[in-house]
Amino acid sequence: MSLFGMPSIDLLSNQIAAVLDDPATTHGLARALRAVAKEIELHRHHHTSQRAWPNGRINQKPSKVQIGGGSHHIDGFFNIDAVPPADLLWDIREGIPLQDDSVELFFSEHFLEHIDYPRSAKNYIREAQRVLVPGGQIITGVPDAAFALSQYPGPLNACDEMIERWYAKRDCRSDINTRLDLVNLVFRDQDDDPKYTPHLWAYDHEKLAQLFTEAGFTAVAPWTFDSTIANPKRRWGSLYVIATK
Ligand SMILES: C[S@@+](CC[C@H](N)C(=O)[O-])C[C@H]1O[C@@H](n2cnc3c(N)ncnc32)[C@H](O)[C@@H]1O
């Protein structure tokens, strides 16, 4: 609690809002504060759920779980995300709030690159290993960094297709002009739009296989895109693997 009786996180949040409203605030400080404001939002959601489940394990035992699904609903899957809509609001960087040996299938796409590597990415994969039943599986889809790199250097028209497919609707679209801009965006997506969280690490098949093997998974193989589970808009330019515990 602060001196004035207001929880310090609320006080901090109000102060950030006031500084962001001030036209004298520099661009660099505003960027940093918007990132903190976003983390405060995640922190609030996470702690509301944590108060309901103080030992870090929820009562439900879903057998199929989607992580970071956003608005992509999959029938029969329990969706855990840091922000609404979700069946459970939980910051996965704090662990997976499920019982050991309880889940048969995990699914995530375009999620892993948004959490920090190595601490949170490795912790997430270790947690998935703990929570899966023996023989359980985890499907992971990411932007295919090897594919993006294979376009550089290359014919500009092939890159144009990639830019249009991935970034046509983004605020930053008009600033993605060259092949290297595309590579930069895949590796360090930094759109100022507050809806977007940055890309913090890039993945190819070799890196995903290394991560799952290191965490104790017995097999890692390419996963064939199935639009009854995966988001159809992710089909192009994504890489999916399936790992077995
Ligand atoms: C780029 S969106 C992808 C959404 C959906 N999977 C899709 O492919 O359309 C990334 C998702 O990961 C979620 N996410 C990011 N960091 C997270 C975290 N630390 N814990 C839980 N979810 C997180 C975001 O809230 C968002 O819904």
Side-chain angles (χ1 to χ4, degrees):
M1 296 288 269
S2 76
L3 278 178
F4 312 106
M6 183 185 270
S8 37
I9 201 81
D10 292 343
L11 186 63
L12 178 61
S13 185
N14 291 347
Q15 286 173 334
I16 288 174
V19 176
L20 284 174
D21 266 354
D22 184 344
T25 300
T26 56
H27 171 69
L29 181 58
R31 271 176 69 98
L33 291 179
R34 276 198 299 272
V36 177
K38 177 130 194 164
E39 287 294 344
I40 289 175
E41 183 196 357
L42 267 52
H43 172 95
R44 284 197 169 116
H45 289 312
H46 182 80
H47 279 274
T48 302
S49 297
Q50 210 188 29
R51 276 194 291 278
W53 314 107
N55 72 356
R57 300 284 182 270
I58 64 171
N59 281 350
Q60 292 107 305
K61 288 194 176 170
S63 64
K64 293 180 181 177
V65 177
Q66 179 177 211
I67 303 290
S71 55
H72 178 67
H73 169 83
I74 316 172
D75 281 344
F77 278 73
F78 185 83
N79 185 26
I80 303 178
D81 201 299
V83 294
D87 297 305
L88 177 71
L89 298 179
W90 195 266
D91 183 345
I92 288 296
R93 294 170 297 184
E94 303 301 309
I96 300 179
L98 300 171
Q99 312 288 336
D100 295 3
D101 299 332
S102 62
V103 171
E104 283 166 20
L105 181 61
F106 272 109
F107 178 82
S108 85
E109 61 191 338
H110 288 245
F111 156 74
L112 187 62
E113 71 278 11
H114 292 277
I115 59 173
D116 52 289
Y117 174 90
R119 188 262 190 203
S120 297
K122 290 195 169 187
N123 189 46
Y124 161 64
I125 291 170
R126 271 195 304 273
E127 280 284 274
Q129 215 270 353
R130 171 185 68 76
V131 163
L132 279 169
V133 296
Q137 294 188 301
I138 177 167
I139 299 165
T140 306
V142 287
D144 188 350
F147 177 55
L149 286 171
S150 74
Q151 308 292 312
Y152 181 88
L156 204 50
N157 54 358
C159 252
D160 280 350
E161 182 184 3
M162 197 167 197
I163 290 171
E164 279 311 311
R165 282 180 181 264
W166 278 358
Y167 298 110
K169 295 186 184 139
R170 297 282 298 273
D171 285 0
C172 61
R173 169 64 193 92
S174 61
D175 301 312
I176 304 302
N177 316 115
T178 71
R179 287 168 285 197
L180 194 58
D181 289 337
L182 180 61
V183 173
N184 266 301
L185 211 61
V186 170
F187 280 77
R188 40 185 294 116
D189 190 346
Q190 305 221 346
D191 199 326
D192 264 351
D193 178 342
K195 288 198 301 294
Y196 286 93
T197 44
H199 288 175
L200 298 182
W201 207 253
Y203 295 92
D204 61 5
H205 182 92
E206 181 187 22
K207 184 62 202 172
L208 290 177
Q210 182 273 322
L211 278 175
F212 286 106
T213 305
E214 179 183 85
F217 285 83
T218 56
V220 187
W223 182 71
T224 306
F225 193 91
D226 172 358
S227 57
T228 61
I229 298 180
N231 189 338
K233 78 175 184 188
R234 303 298 186 194
R235 182 188 288 273
W236 199 88
S238 298
L239 161 76
Y240 290 82
V241 299
I242 181 163
T244 306
K245 175 171 170 179

